[in-house]
């Protein structure tokens, strides 16, 4: 996670990491990603965590906060399909209530049976929201301005060509709509048109747009403002 996130790992190394993760950490039965492989015996030299039975807590469980951070790192480096696969694995395990035996939520980890545990002890939620907002939808601030670079997959437009997110930026409530008529995936689309409260914004076709903070501040503060973005 950290070599990818910190940009120490080069692109070819990230591809090698993904191959290793697929080979050693991906669980083909539960479709999730283990924190580590099974050492086959207690590893006291590695600390208390490796005295747990394999598949519990820090020893080989599906440890959600590190899975989310892995996804965030992949998104940050442009490995969008891989990042979405990792992120959605948590969602899919959570909603499989027959195995998870929990109300759908974000537990600290899932064990080898796919059961969600420690609902009150999780560092995952903030990372999950951060990843979805700033990387999947690509909505964030940059030097005080509103910066939008969507990293949406074609799969996310399977049921509709429109996806929306509500955010507050510079004290203004924004409903940001992404329209993708051709249902293209990341790397194949650009932002070809954008309008703010039905007023077209001047822009060049690009994977990203920047809206000046002064423009946002001029918007009404007592209503929901609509930002429509067309992908193509």
């Amino acid at each position: 996670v950290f070599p990818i996130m910190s940009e120490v790992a080069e692109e070819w190394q990230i591809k090698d990491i993904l191959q290793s993760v697929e080979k050693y950490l991906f669980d083909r039965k539960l479709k999730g990603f283990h924190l580590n492989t099974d050492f086959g015996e207690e590893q006291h030299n590695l600390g208390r965590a490796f005295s747990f039975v394999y598949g519990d807590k820090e020893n080989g469980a599906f440890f959600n906060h590190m899975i989310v951070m892995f996804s965030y790192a992949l998104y940050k480096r442009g490995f969008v399909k891989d990042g979405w696969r990792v992120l959605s694995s948590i969602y899919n395990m959570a909603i499989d209530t027959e195995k998870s035996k929990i109300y759908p939520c974000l537990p600290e980890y899932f064990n080898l049976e796919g059961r969600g545990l420690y609902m009150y002890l999780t560092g995952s939620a903030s990372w999950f929201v951060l990843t979805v907002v700033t990387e999947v939808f690509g909505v964030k601030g940059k030097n005080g301005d509103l910066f939008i670079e969507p990293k949406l997959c074609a799969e996310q437009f399977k049921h509709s060509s429109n996806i929306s997110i509500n955010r507050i930026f510079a004290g203004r409530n924004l409903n940001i709509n992404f329209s993708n008529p051709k249902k293209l995936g990341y790397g194949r689309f650009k932002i070809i048109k954008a309008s703010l409260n039905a007023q077209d914004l001047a822009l060049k076709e690009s994977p990203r747009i920047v809206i000046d903070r002064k423009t946002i501040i001029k918007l009404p503060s007592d209503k929901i403002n609509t930002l429509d973005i067309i992908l193509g």
Side-chain angles (χ1 to χ4, degrees):
V1 169
F2 292 106
I4 297 173
M5 188 182 298
S6 63
E7 300 186 10
V8 170
E10 296 182 23
E11 187 170 318
W12 67 268
Q13 292 174 312
I14 297 174
K15 292 178 180 178
D16 283 353
I17 289 170
L18 286 167
Q19 288 181 359
S20 294
V21 167
E22 186 72 21
K23 181 176 180 179
Y24 295 109
L25 300 179
F26 182 67
D27 189 298
R28 281 157 183 76
K29 180 181 178 182
L30 295 174
K31 308 299 182 185
F33 297 85
H34 292 282
L35 188 61
N36 57 271
T37 53
D38 186 358
F39 293 105
E41 59 184 14
E42 292 184 352
Q43 299 288 316
H44 298 296
N45 57 318
L46 293 178
R48 178 185 70 91
F50 295 93
S51 293
F52 291 116
V53 174
Y54 182 71
D56 286 288
K57 293 184 75 66
E58 291 89 350
N59 187 19
F62 303 93
F63 213 68
N64 287 329
H65 83 259
M66 193 51 65
I67 294 172
V68 175
M69 291 174 74
F70 183 41
S71 174
Y72 176 87
L74 291 170
Y75 268 104
K76 184 179 178 182
R77 298 296 300 276
F79 287 78
V80 171
K81 287 185 178 180
D82 300 292
W84 175 244
R85 181 181 181 222
V86 173
L87 192 67
S88 58
S89 70
I90 298 174
Y91 172 79
N92 292 329
M93 292 182 75
I95 64 170
D96 187 356
T97 53
E98 187 174 337
K99 291 188 178 72
S100 66
K101 302 187 187 305
I102 58 173
Y103 291 112
C105 68
L106 201 63
E108 182 188 34
Y109 71 93
F110 297 97
N111 66 12
L112 291 186
E113 297 173 348
R115 181 171 184 175
L117 296 157
Y118 288 82
M119 269 57 70
Y120 57 88
L121 180 62
T122 169
S124 315
S126 57
W127 273 98
F128 198 102
V129 172
L130 179 74
T131 303
V132 171
V133 173
T134 66
E135 293 299 324
V136 179
F137 284 97
V139 179
K140 63 188 80 173
K142 186 174 184 179
N143 300 323
D145 299 324
L146 179 60
F147 180 86
I148 301 177
E149 184 181 15
K151 297 177 182 176
L152 298 162
C153 300
E155 177 187 346
Q156 291 160 329
F157 292 96
K158 182 178 180 180
H159 300 293
S160 174
S161 59
N162 297 287
I163 296 178
S164 299
I165 183 172
N166 290 318
R167 298 298 300 145
I168 294 177
F169 186 85
R172 302 301 185 267
N173 199 329
L174 299 174
N175 177 241
I176 305 171
N177 302 311
F178 297 91
S179 179
N180 186 359
K182 297 181 180 178
K183 299 187 177 181
L184 303 174
Y186 178 76
R188 297 185 61 204
F189 63 69
K190 292 182 179 180
I191 297 173
I192 60 174
K193 185 178 180 181
S195 61
L196 186 55
N197 288 343
Q199 297 295 315
D200 289 346
L201 298 174
L203 56 83
K204 295 180 180 179
E205 289 190 11
S206 171
R208 61 194 67 84
I209 61 170
V210 178
I211 302 176
D212 188 271
R213 185 181 185 87
K214 293 178 181 178
T215 301
I216 301 296
I217 290 176
K218 290 178 182 178
L219 298 174
S221 60
D222 59 348
K223 60 173 284 187
I224 297 176
N225 299 280
T226 301
L227 174 59
D228 291 309
I229 295 175
I230 310 297
L231 307 176

